[in-house]
Amino acid sequence: MNQYNNNIEDRAKFLGYITPIIKDYAENNRIDPAVCYEVCHELELMMMEECKAKGMNTHELEKHKEVAETNFKAGKESL
């Protein structure tokens, strides 16, 4: 359970750090949201490759992707 709690804390810290940077940069430089989406998806693909290089298999990656989608939807519903 402790590892799970650490993951939640790490996730919150990382999202709290990276999201404002991306949003502010895009807004300040008038970057089209579609371009931001492409870049974020490319980042996702790069991170998938890094995870695979460290031994994570496709099934494990899919589980993490499902968790991310669930967390995103839950966050939107809580607003």
Side-chain angles (χ1 to χ4, degrees):
M1 188 67 164
N2 192 31
Q3 179 63 36
Y4 177 74
N5 288 336
N6 286 343
N7 287 344
I8 290 173
E9 290 174 18
D10 288 347
R11 186 180 173 284
K13 281 192 259 183
F14 189 60
L15 275 174
Y17 175 79
I18 199 75
T19 303
I21 291 172
I22 292 171
K23 285 183 171 185
D24 288 347
Y25 184 85
E27 186 177 298
N28 291 339
N29 291 283
R30 296 184 188 102
I31 296 174
D32 186 328
V35 172
C36 292
Y37 174 77
E38 290 172 10
V39 170
C40 287
H41 184 63
E42 187 174 345
L43 178 60
E44 176 187 8
L45 295 172
M46 287 188 294
M47 293 310 302
M48 287 174 69
E49 289 299 315
E50 188 170 323
C51 288
K52 286 179 182 179
K54 293 188 181 246
M56 192 176 289
N57 64 38
T58 303
H59 178 70
E60 289 174 293
L61 285 170
E62 282 300 317
K63 287 193 308 186
H64 288 285
K65 187 174 181 177
E66 288 174 15
V67 169
E69 289 172 356
T70 300
N71 288 335
F72 179 76
K73 289 175 186 174
K76 285 191 72 145
E77 290 174 3
S78 70
L79 295 177

